[in-house]
């Protein structure tokens, strides 16, 4: 009976007489860090040589300071920078996301995690999305794989590269051969229309020794010195290779 009366007295107590830490617990349950706007910025079509930067703004809606402790990119093409580490109550912070599309092809979404200290919202994902337009169409996305049983072979590969916009020009090729591999590369210009060109790239590859060899051919974009060169990767194998395949696989616990 006594416990029932005591319970009724507590329920009937005015809210303003409750301890202050009870109200603080309710306030702490609210989101402290709020992102103003969307967390994914749509960039549309991005030329392969254009670096993009997007700013995201956070506000601290709590009564205590919140700190930005780290920015963790999910890709090497993304970098982040915050204008401040500590965000006071009611204050704002800006995180600038810088996207470099040099090593990205086609449709993309790349981002980073913003990690906070303090509050219930510990991290927020920020991203940029769109489509990277390659400088030249026709560039093989995978390495050129060449195989032969002996050394008496010369491989010849030809590619037609078409610029994605007017004014893009290719320079003389630079060959970086690894191992005993002879590579000759040439570029010729073909007139498609008034002020429109395409480029014919010819690779002649000959192995000088048995085994596996690699080479890289880089074509500088002379009209865009800030852009990375167009790169062709070559992987050649001369001679037979031994491949072992297990007949059965056993799993032991």
């Amino acid at each position: 009976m006594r416990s029932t009366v005591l319970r009724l007295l507590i329920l009937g107590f005015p809210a303003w007489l409750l301890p202050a830490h009870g109200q603080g617990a309710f306030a702490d349950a609210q989101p402290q860090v709020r992102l103003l706007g969307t967390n994914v910025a749509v960039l549309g079509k991005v030329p392969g040589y254009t670096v993009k930067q997007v700013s995201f703004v956070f506000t601290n809606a709590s009564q205590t300071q919140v700190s930005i402790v780290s920015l963790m990119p999910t890709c090497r093409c993304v970098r982040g920078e915050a204008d401040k580490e500590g965000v006071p109550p009611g204050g704002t912070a800006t995180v600038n996301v810088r996207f470099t599309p040099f090593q990205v092809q086609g449709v993309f979404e790349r981002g980073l995690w913003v990690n906070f200290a303090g509050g219930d919202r510990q991290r927020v994902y920020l991203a940029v999305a769109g489509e990277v337009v390659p400088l030249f169409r026709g560039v093989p996305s995978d390495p050129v794989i060449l195989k032969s049983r002996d050394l008496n072979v010369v491989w010849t590969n030809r590619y037609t590269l078409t610029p994605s916009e007017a004014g893009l020009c290719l320079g003389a090729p630079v060959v970086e051969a690894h191992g005993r591999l002879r590579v000759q590369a040439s570029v010729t210009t073909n007139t498609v229309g008034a002020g429109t060109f395409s480029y014919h790239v010819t690779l002649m590859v000959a192995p000088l020794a048995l085994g596996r060899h690699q080479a890289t051919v880089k074509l500088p974009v002379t009209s865009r010195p800030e852009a990375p060169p167009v790169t062709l990767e070559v992987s050649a194998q001369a001679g037979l290779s031994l491949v072992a395949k297990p007949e059965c696989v056993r799993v032991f616990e």
Side-chain angles (χ1 to χ4, degrees):
M1 180 66 180
R2 179 178 299 176
S3 60
T4 302
V5 174
L6 181 59
R7 203 178 299 121
L8 292 174
L9 289 174
I10 294 176
L11 292 176
F13 238 64
W16 58 269
L17 290 179
L18 293 176
H21 62 79
Q23 297 177 5
F26 177 81
D28 290 343
Q30 305 304 308
Q32 288 193 325
V33 180
R34 298 176 184 174
L35 176 63
L36 303 181
T38 179
N39 70 315
V40 179
V42 179
L43 304 179
K45 293 184 179 295
V46 179
Y49 56 83
T50 303
V51 178
K52 293 289 187 178
Q53 180 169 298
V54 179
S55 298
F56 297 88
V57 180
F58 294 90
T59 182
N60 181 5
S62 71
Q63 302 300 316
T64 59
Q65 176 165 299
V66 175
S67 299
I68 300 176
V69 294
S70 66
L71 303 174
M72 299 179 58
T74 60
C75 174
R76 291 185 298 176
C77 62
V78 173
R79 291 291 181 269
E81 182 178 351
D83 64 342
K84 60 175 68 75
E85 294 182 0
V87 187
T92 61
T94 300
V95 174
N96 296 313
V97 176
R98 182 182 177 89
F99 173 66
T100 304
F102 295 164
Q103 303 300 324
V104 180
Q105 298 180 3
V107 178
F108 70 90
E109 180 180 312
R110 302 290 191 275
L112 56 80
W113 288 97
V114 183
N115 295 305
F116 295 92
D120 63 319
R121 192 170 187 175
Q122 296 299 320
R123 66 179 194 165
V124 177
Y125 179 68
L126 304 178
V128 292
E131 180 181 358
V132 175
V133 179
L135 297 178
F136 291 84
R137 301 182 180 91
V139 181
S141 56
D142 298 321
V144 180
I145 299 177
L146 308 172
K147 293 183 179 182
S148 176
R149 289 178 175 268
D150 51 48
L151 299 178
N152 300 320
V153 62
V154 176
W155 295 289
T156 301
N157 290 72
R158 293 184 176 90
Y159 305 93
T160 299
L161 307 185
T162 305
S164 58
E165 62 181 53
L168 291 178
C169 302
L170 288 177
V174 177
V175 177
E176 301 175 357
H178 307 284
R180 304 195 62 183
L181 197 66
R182 183 175 67 244
V183 180
Q184 295 178 342
S186 61
V187 178
T188 58
T189 305
N190 180 42
T191 302
V192 178
T196 305
F197 303 92
S198 64
Y199 295 89
H200 296 311
V201 180
T202 303
L203 301 182
M204 298 181 65
V205 182
L208 303 178
L210 297 176
R212 298 177 182 271
H213 313 286
Q214 287 79 36
T216 302
V217 178
K218 295 183 178 180
L219 306 170
V221 184
T222 56
S223 56
R224 291 284 183 180
E226 74 277 14
V230 176
T231 302
L232 302 176
E233 300 287 348
V234 178
S235 177
Q237 175 187 320
L240 299 177
S241 60
L242 178 63
V243 178
K245 296 183 178 179
E247 294 184 357
C248 64
V249 177
R250 296 181 179 180
V251 179
F252 298 92
E253 295 183 356

